[in-house]
Amino acid sequence: EAQVTQNPRYLITVTGKKLTVTCSQNMNHEYMSWYRQDPGLGLRQIYYSMNVEVTDKGDVPEGYKVSRKEKRNFPLILESPSPNQTSLYFCASTHGTNTEAFFGQGTRLTVV
Amino acid sequence: AQSVSQHNHHVILSEAASLELGCNYSYGGTVNLFWYVQYPGQHLQLLLKYFSGDPLVKGIKGFEAEFIKSKFSFNLRKPSVQWSDTAEYFCAVNAGSGYSTLTFGKGTMLLVSP
């Protein structure tokens, strides 16, 4: 089954404690992205990757890092999480330019 | 850069009522247009998409959308909503050539009362 898998689904952490949210897709898609969803703001792109070792900032990259060492994986790293990063995070992958994005199930992160 | 505006943040309808959710985008070139739906507690799922051709696009679950280029609009419609259509709806756009990021509107929360 074609899917985008994120882990964990839920995470509560403390300010400053480094964390990683994993994202994996099994569709051999070139493009992968991370979004955060906040009430009243919709989805905003954090980072995206056009292929292995190619990443770029989205609209709200501050406080986040990503890596793309393999085509299927695109982890999101918060080196020093802060409460304003409490949000619902979605990973997405896309095959090409004229296709839709497939989304993971989401990761609800709370930073206290 | 492209931007997307959704007209209503919240819509409340009774079952069997007709639905129209507005979406306008700003971008001067060719665009791809999408409507995604997010049911409570779930991830985003594609409802329908427009890349080219017939501007009236039909999607899943009886939804359709019409691309009006002159108005930069891509409104979502359904003739008769059901309680199960309660969800948040997002309009999204990306540029139609090369890779470009997918830009989302802020979403419209639809509540359908039985």
Side-chain angles (χ1 to χ4, degrees), chain B:
Chain B
Q2 59 258 26
S3 66
V4 179
S5 174
Q6 291 183 237
H7 304 166
N8 308 96
H9 291 303
H10 295 91
V11 172
I12 301 174
L13 295 173
S14 299
E15 274 194 315
S18 65
L19 170 72
E20 180 160 3
L21 301 182
C23 172
N24 286 91
Y25 67 92
S26 67
Y27 183 72
T30 304
V31 292
N32 300 320
L33 297 156
F34 308 84
W35 275 98
Y36 283 87
V37 61
Q38 185 179 31
Y39 298 103
Q42 295 191 26
H43 64 295
L44 278 80
Q45 303 170 43
L46 183 70
L47 264 183
L48 47 79
K49 60 189 177 187
Y50 172 81
F51 294 150
S52 63
D54 189 343
L56 185 60
V57 179
K58 294 193 184 300
I60 60 172
K61 305 187 179 186
F63 286 91
E64 65 178 32
E66 185 175 13
F67 171 50
I68 303 179
K69 189 175 182 180
S70 61
K71 295 185 178 180
F72 297 88
S73 70
F74 191 56
N75 293 354
L76 181 70
R77 300 193 292 247
K78 186 171 184 178
S80 176
V81 296
Q82 301 172 306
W83 175 79
S84 58
D85 293 324
T86 293
E88 191 159 20
Y89 293 80
F90 293 94
C91 183
V93 62
N94 67 7
S97 60
Y99 175 76
S100 84
T101 60
L102 193 59
T103 300
F104 285 87
K106 293 184 178 181
T108 298
M109 185 66 219
L110 171 66
L111 178 61
V112 180
S113 58

Side-chain angles (χ1 to χ4, degrees), chain A residues 27-31 71 93-102:
Chain A
M27 296 168 278
N28 202 36
H29 286 172
E30 296 91 353
Y31 305 111
K71 198 172 186 178
S93 74
T94 311
H95 173 58
T97 55
N98 274 358
T99 62
E100 70 269 24
F102 292 82

Side-chain angles (χ1 to χ4, degrees), chain A residues 24-100:
Chain A
S24 180
Q25 50 95 1
N26 62 0
M27 296 168 278
N28 202 36
H29 286 172
E30 296 91 353
Y31 305 111
M32 298 185 74
S33 302
W34 276 103
Y35 296 85
R36 60 176 289 171
Q37 183 181 13
D38 301 289
L41 297 178
L43 280 84
R44 293 177 293 168
Q45 192 178 59
I46 302 169
Y47 267 94
Y48 64 95
S49 170
M50 296 174 69
N51 215 323
V52 175
E53 302 292 2
V54 182
T55 64
D56 209 346
K57 296 177 180 178
D59 297 320
V60 289
E62 293 78 20
Y64 304 95
K65 286 174 57 178
V66 292
S67 70
R68 188 92 181 272
K69 294 183 170 55
E70 305 165 281
K71 198 172 186 178
R72 62 182 293 128
N73 296 324
F74 191 46
L76 179 69
I77 303 156
L78 284 73
E79 294 272 4
S80 182
S82 62
N84 65 12
Q85 293 178 297
T86 291
S87 186
L88 179 59
Y89 291 86
F90 286 101
C91 179
S93 74
T94 311
H95 173 58
T97 55
N98 274 358
T99 62
E100 70 269 24

